[in-house]
Amino acid sequence: MSVKRVARVGGLGTIAVLAAMSMLVGCGSGEDEGEGSAAAPRQPSPTPTPTPTLTAKPTPTPKPTTPPTNVELPPLHAGFDYQIGGAYPPPSGVRIVSRDRSESPAPGLYNICYVNAFQVQPGEEEQWPADLLLRDAQGEVVVDGDWDEALLDIGTPAKRKRVAARVNQWIDGCADKGFDAVEPDNYDSYTRSQNLLTADDATAFITLLSAHAHARDLAIAQKNTVELAGLRARTGLDFAVAEECGEYDECGAYAKAFDDRVVVIEYTDSGLRKARSGFGDRLSIVRRDVMVSTPGDEDYVRRTR
C-alpha cells in the first residue's frame, strides 16, 4: 500500500538550490547527453576582442505558466480529503480527493492520483532493472530509511527517460480510470541521495512526467519540496500538494508559486491551526493522521477545524 512520507529533511533554501542548479547548468548538463558521455577536451581560450559597453536591459519577469486548455485544475479553497492510505466514501463537503493509483476515483469529485514516482515501494525492488536503483560508491542501493524505499536513479538523461517510461505507464492508468490529476511523490528524494542526485536531476525528471500527464489530459502536482516551487515555469507543474506547510511556515511560498491552487495536509492540531489562521480562506486544508488510515481504524483522524 502506498503511504505518504512525512519525515522532513532540512531544506537547502531557495537561494542555495538555485545557485547549485546554476552551477550545474554552467557545467553543460543537458537532456541530449547520453549515459556515460565524456566531456570534450578543454580548448585554450582565444584572446578576447574589446567590445563597447552596453546598457543592460532589465530582465523581464516570467509570466505564470498556464496548463493546456484540455487540463482541468482543482477548484480553489475547496473541501479536501487525503485518502492515499485507503479509499472510503468522502465526507460531506469534500470536492477534492487524493487516492492511490491502485484505487478508483470518487464519482463526481475532483480526483488526484497518487504515484510514488521517485522511489520504490517496499518489496518491489526486483520489479525494477538493477541499474535503475540508485547505488553508492560501494554498489549498495541507497534507501530512504524513514520508509524503507529504494531511490530511483535519475542521474542521467538516459536513465531519467527509462524511469519516466515506467512511471508514465502508471500515469496512463490514472488517466484510463478517470482521475483528473496526478501527484508524483518524493520529488525531494535528491535530498536523501547522499549527494548522488541533484535538484537539477529532479526538475529534469518531473518535467518529463509533466509533459506526459498533460498529453493524457491530467493536471500534475508538485508534492512538497518548497525549495523548487519557484521553478514552476520550467517544470510545467500545475498545483501543489503540501504536507505540513502550516507546521513549517511554507504555505505562503506554495500559495505564491501556484496562485493559491494548493491542497494542504497537516498531521498535528498545531499545524492545522497555523495553516487555517494564515490561509484558511484561500487554500484547501485538512488534518489527517500520519498513516492516513481509514474510518474505523483506531488511529483515524480527519478534521478541517
Side-chain angles (χ1 to χ4, degrees):
M1 178 180 70
S2 297
V3 180
K4 57 138 188 64
R5 65 171 306 92
V6 294
R8 301 299 299 244
V9 178
L12 299 176
T14 303
I15 295 177
V17 170
L18 294 180
M21 292 176 67
S22 297
M23 292 175 64
L24 287 168
V25 172
C27 291
S29 176
E31 284 300 311
D32 57 346
E33 297 175 3
E35 287 186 65
S37 59
R42 189 176 183 86
Q43 301 296 325
S45 300
T47 302
T49 301
T51 55
T53 302
L54 300 176
T55 302
K57 295 181 179 180
T59 302
T61 302
K63 295 181 179 179
T65 58
T66 56
T69 55
N70 56 335
V71 170
E72 180 183 358
L73 298 181
L76 289 165
H77 188 224
F80 171 55
D81 199 12
Y82 205 46
Q83 298 188 1
I84 67 170
Y88 53 86
S92 176
V94 167
R95 295 173 59 197
I96 306 172
V97 173
S98 185
R99 289 178 171 175
D100 186 76
R101 66 183 179 86
S102 63
E103 305 283 0
S104 296
L109 303 182
Y110 189 92
N111 287 271
I112 304 169
C113 187
Y114 172 96
V115 174
N116 193 355
F118 289 75
Q119 298 183 178
V120 180
Q121 292 294 103
E124 295 184 2
E125 293 82 5
E126 292 185 359
Q127 298 179 21
W128 286 86
D131 69 316
L132 292 185
L133 302 179
L134 185 66
R135 297 177 186 273
D136 61 21
Q138 288 70 47
E140 298 295 326
V141 174
V142 178
V143 175
D144 173 358
D146 290 328
W147 294 103
D148 193 28
E149 295 179 353
L151 273 63
L152 291 166
D153 189 349
I154 55 170
T156 68
K159 286 188 175 181
R160 283 193 285 274
K161 291 176 182 177
R162 290 172 60 201
V163 175
R166 286 173 160 254
V167 175
N168 285 340
Q169 292 179 10
W170 301 340
I171 293 176
D172 289 339
C174 296
D176 293 342
K177 286 184 175 183
F179 282 90
D180 301 290
V182 62
E183 171 194 344
D185 200 7
N186 291 311
Y187 188 23
D188 62 347
S189 64
Y190 72 93
T191 66
R192 300 180 290 278
S193 71
Q194 302 177 17
N195 296 319
L196 297 171
L197 300 175
T198 67
D200 200 45
D201 295 328
T203 56
F205 180 66
I206 201 75
T207 302
L208 296 177
L209 302 186
S210 294
H212 189 81
H214 289 160
R216 292 305 312 268
D217 299 344
L218 295 174
I220 182 168
Q222 170 162 329
K223 178 66 173 289
N224 298 329
T225 325
V226 70
E227 297 90 347
L228 304 184
L231 302 181
R232 178 186 179 190
R234 174 190 298 187
T235 58
L237 298 168
D238 302 309
F239 66 102
V241 176
E243 291 176 302
E244 300 191 289
C245 71
E247 186 72 25
Y248 291 92
D249 298 317
E250 297 170 345
C251 295
Y254 290 114
K256 180 180 180 180
F258 292 95
D259 305 316
D260 284 359
R261 220 167 285 271
V262 183
V263 294
V264 178
I265 310 98
E266 297 292 336
Y267 298 109
T268 63
D269 291 337
S270 63
L272 178 63
R273 286 193 298 270
K274 290 175 67 176
R276 282 184 50 78
S277 66
F279 299 90
D281 61 346
R282 294 170 55 184
L283 309 183
S284 305
I285 304 169
V286 70
R287 155 84 155 95
R288 287 303 326 266
D289 57 282
V290 171
M291 298 308 294
V292 282
S293 53
T294 58
D297 190 284
E298 62 180 2
D299 296 323
Y300 173 78
V301 174
R302 182 188 184 275
R303 286 197 289 274
T304 57
R305 59 182 64 246

